[in-house]
Amino acid sequence: MSAALESVNLAAGVTGNLGSIGYGLAAIGPGVGVGIIFGNGTQALARQPEAAGLIRTNQIMGFAFCEALALIGIVMGFLFRT
């Protein structure tokens, strides 16, 4: 029980902009998503080179959506400032 109270007191003592921690956590998802998109896109191009145009288009759109999530994450840090 003592360790739990100590960790609560430690967390209560944290000061500063916690939005940067929130953005760091929010950037994990888009980073993983971009890796999955381009990894699977490379595999698809290797398996079916004749569909390269369609695969690249879908890759670029997926990349844009993942990066939009990262930008939303950085904006939320500024909007929900306490």
Side-chain angles (χ1 to χ4, degrees):
M1 185 71 177
S2 169
L5 289 175
E6 188 176 311
S7 66
V8 168
N9 289 335
L10 180 65
V14 174
T15 59
N17 187 5
L18 296 177
S20 59
I21 295 172
Y23 174 66
L25 293 174
I28 292 171
V32 170
V34 167
I36 290 172
I37 287 169
F38 284 105
N40 289 338
T42 303
Q43 285 181 0
L45 284 170
R47 291 174 188 236
Q48 205 167 13
E50 64 272 4
L54 180 64
I55 293 169
R56 277 198 197 107
T57 302
N58 288 336
Q59 274 184 321
I60 292 170
M61 288 183 61
F63 175 75
F65 289 138
C66 283
E67 287 302 314
L69 289 175
L71 292 175
I72 289 170
I74 198 169
V75 168
M76 290 302 150
F78 293 115
L79 288 179
F80 296 122
R81 192 178 295 187
T82 56

